Amino acid sequence: MKLEIFPEKCTECWLCAAICSARLVGKFNPSRSAVYAESLLPEKLIMRPYVCIQCDEHPCVESCPVEAIAEDEKLGIYVVDKELCDGCGACIEACPYNGLRLDPVENYAIKCDVCRGKPRCVEICPEEVLKMVE
Amino acid sequence: MPGGYVGKILRVDLSSGKTSSEDLNLKWARLFIGGKGLGAKYLYEEAKPRADPLSPDNVLILMTGPLTGTTAPCAPKYAIYTKSPLTGTFLDSYMGGYLGAELKFAGFDGVIIKGKAEKPVYLWISDGKAEIRDAKDLWGLDIHETDKRIREKLGDKEVKVAAIGPAGENLVKIACITVDLYRQAGRGGGGAVMGSKNLKAIAVRGHQGVSVPNIEEFIELCKDITKNDVVTETNLWAKTDGTPGFLQMNQEGGVLPTKNFQMGVFEHANEIDGDAVKKILVRKRACYGCPLGCGNITQVKGGPFAGTVIEGPDYETLALGGSNCYISDLEAIAKYNLLCDKLGLDTISTGDAIAFAMECYEKGLITKEDTNGLELTFGNVEAYVKMPNLIAYRKAIGDVLAEGVRRAAEKIGKGSDRFAVHVKGLEYPGYEPRGAIGMALAYATSDRGACHMRAWPVDSEVFGDMDPFTTEGKAQLVIEGGIGQNLYCAKWSLVICDFYAIGYENIARLASAATGWKLSEDDMKIIGERISNLVRMFNVREGFTRKDDTLPYRIANDPLKGGKADGHVVKPEDFNKMLDEYYKLRGWDKEGRPTKEKLKELNLI
């Protein structure tokens, strides 16, 4: 269970991040979402949407000094335990895909859990930039 | 507290250098919702009547609405509210992009800026705080460079920046504010208001979020409306083509401004239309929360304008900067667009000003001595692409055109006012009224001067079933049509984008779900009418009456050449008939002043 990204279709609308934050923090707040995007206009023309792609290597897990990232056996993916995470940012440094980021308010690493099976960002994205892969 | 709002207004006094935060006036919010309504209310209450728009007395307001920052479809917009230096009227000018949402995330529904800074400054707003910072090193820079440097200074790429360029600094009266690189508060000279306050830019970043009473229900409503009312045949043009698609439609309808409004069709239209733009398209760009994404990121790859990257050109730029200047080179228009974006010029008024100057030049009213040696004839690309710089830096004839076509015609004289096409000083946009007579009334009665985004009867007259040449039903259409003034006012109280053709029902559903208030369709209709009357009160207070709701000389006297409306004028008697009917339907007196009864009925007095 993971998300796949097709960046060339991204229009920079931020609906994915807005709806993700609604689940994570109960408000519309794209700065506190697991999925986000980077615009490098005017130098680079294509958007760079980022989200954890649940890679096989998961360097984030090894990098974590407090073992806050562990496999959720039911989901079959690695998730962050918000209580254990101390916001050191090692996982963010370690991830080659820019798949994690720090919550700017509560200072913990946000990592996509694919909405535990029904990813909201996939549903709301108007351009099919994000796809669910079983 | 109702949902949707974040509940605070930021006050900035540039003269004293002080900033403060206060509670949003909820009584006003209930009466006027947000956006245009609240912006107009705060401006009406706080502006000093008859103030010089470029003096410290003018007030500059930024206002969002209760949907801004949520997942409501097509609701990224917010606007500046101020007194226009170009027209002297109420001015609201809407921006897309992301800064409006960011302002809400930073904890403010709106910002009220007064006074004048002693030296160039920029305003930095983040998470409930604001700072006035030195901008000495930014003054003089173009907008893209300013945007980049501010984000570098603040060390956060996600900071959103609204800035002025040299045009705003030089108090050019057709100067815009550019936000998120490619989106503008284009019309009416908002850039000059910022310039007059020594305010180079406003930078915003926020992490606080926006709440609604029931977020899950709200999201379901947004999804339902998106599926059944937004991504539908009515609005899909925005996604597939964006605004350039209008060029061919207006050409077919004979309402494409060409050669400074001498003609209604352009023989080279197919070189600058929607299909032509698709050839340089790289990708689509959406504003915050928009499933349509009308923006076209384009790139010029070869030729003299190679390397030009813009979001655009949009229809208005193609029409006023293209056909109206008789320019058929799309890549030159893209370059013109980029120059205007970076220098901070409204592409509509600037295009009209250049077209006006071209006609002056061809008629011998101005010469090479005035134009810095440029052969300023219609269609001359070489001269055309040099004009934005002349205007922004007030060089040669540019200094005259920087004042807009009305004042330029006063200065040049020699009968040039007969082809200076504007209402109240705001240059005409891209819909020729001689082929759609209702547009003449729409332009005349628009609150900020000739504007196509206050009522759009052309939809019924050119693209619909209504006779474009009869006065019948046009006043009603302008006021209460599906794309009429009252609906626009309601829509822009939220603030929903023009390109989602929303009706009162869904306006009410979204407004209710965001705020928690029970707002009906009828409530929203009344709110729309209330806002229309409030902005008219502002203009009446500034001295505007019937004498200012005008039909330009050219539209009344020079028969249009070419196309479906070939040979037509808008006769003054027809125009006056529509205007009489309009005032009557509005409940205003014959001079166009809202009556006491009407204002009482709308809870405005």
Side-chain angles (χ1 to χ4, degrees), chain B residues 325-520:
Chain B
C325 296
Y326 224 76
I327 296 292
S328 58
D329 180 343
L330 179 66
E331 295 179 352
I333 299 171
K335 179 71 184 180
Y336 160 83
N337 197 154
L338 179 64
L339 286 169
C340 287
D341 286 4
K342 286 166 84 160
L343 294 164
L345 287 166
D346 171 18
T347 60
I348 298 179
S349 287
T350 304
D352 278 344
I354 297 170
F356 168 79
M358 285 170 164
E359 188 163 346
C360 287
Y361 185 86
E362 289 198 352
K363 289 198 155 102
L365 310 186
I366 58 172
T367 65
K368 274 191 181 159
E369 271 178 39
D370 305 299
T371 63
N372 249 5
L374 296 176
E375 179 74 10
L376 195 58
T377 50
F378 281 107
N380 183 351
V381 165
E382 212 177 303
Y384 161 75
V385 293
K386 294 206 168 105
M387 290 305 290
N389 268 296
L390 289 189
I391 296 172
Y393 291 102
R394 288 183 171 274
K395 295 266 159 57
I397 190 69
D399 188 33
V400 177
L401 301 174
E403 296 290 299
V405 300
R406 175 177 59 181
R407 291 184 178 90
E410 281 166 13
K411 188 126 198 219
I412 292 166
K414 302 170 191 167
S416 59
D417 58 323
R418 294 186 170 188
F419 53 87
V421 183
H422 67 89
V423 175
K424 301 180 180 72
L426 188 69
E427 291 76 10
Y428 257 39
Y431 303 89
E432 168 55 64
R434 281 164 291 188
I437 191 172
M439 278 317 289
L441 182 68
Y443 291 154
T445 58
S446 141
D447 44 34
R448 62 177 187 178
C451 176
H452 59 295
M453 294 169 84
R454 297 297 174 269
W456 204 55
V458 72
D459 186 53
S460 304
E461 297 181 288
V462 178
F463 312 135
D465 300 331
M466 256 180 138
D467 180 349
F469 304 117
T470 177
T471 60
E472 197 118 345
K474 296 298 164 67
Q476 173 82 18
L477 186 66
V478 165
I479 299 169
E480 291 183 286
I483 316 184
Q485 290 168 347
N486 288 353
L487 186 118
Y488 263 130
C489 282
K491 193 169 163 175
W492 289 349
S493 70
L494 276 169
V495 182
I496 293 165
C497 176
D498 192 19
F499 300 159
Y500 164 25
I502 194 172
Y504 283 112
E505 188 193 344
N506 281 338
I507 290 177
R509 287 171 80 202
L510 284 168
S512 302
T515 59
W517 290 326
K518 285 193 173 62
L519 294 157
S520 67

Side-chain angles (χ1 to χ4, degrees), chain A residues 1 4 13 27-29 31 33-34 36-39 46 49 51 56 64 75 77 104 109-110 134:
Chain A
M1 186 173 73
E4 210 174 316
C13 77
K27 284 183 176 191
F28 297 112
N29 190 349
S31 68
S33 63
Y36 63 105
E38 187 180 35
S39 168
I46 300 294
V51 67
D56 294 334
C64 180
L75 297 174
I77 58 174
I110 315 175
E134 290 299 333

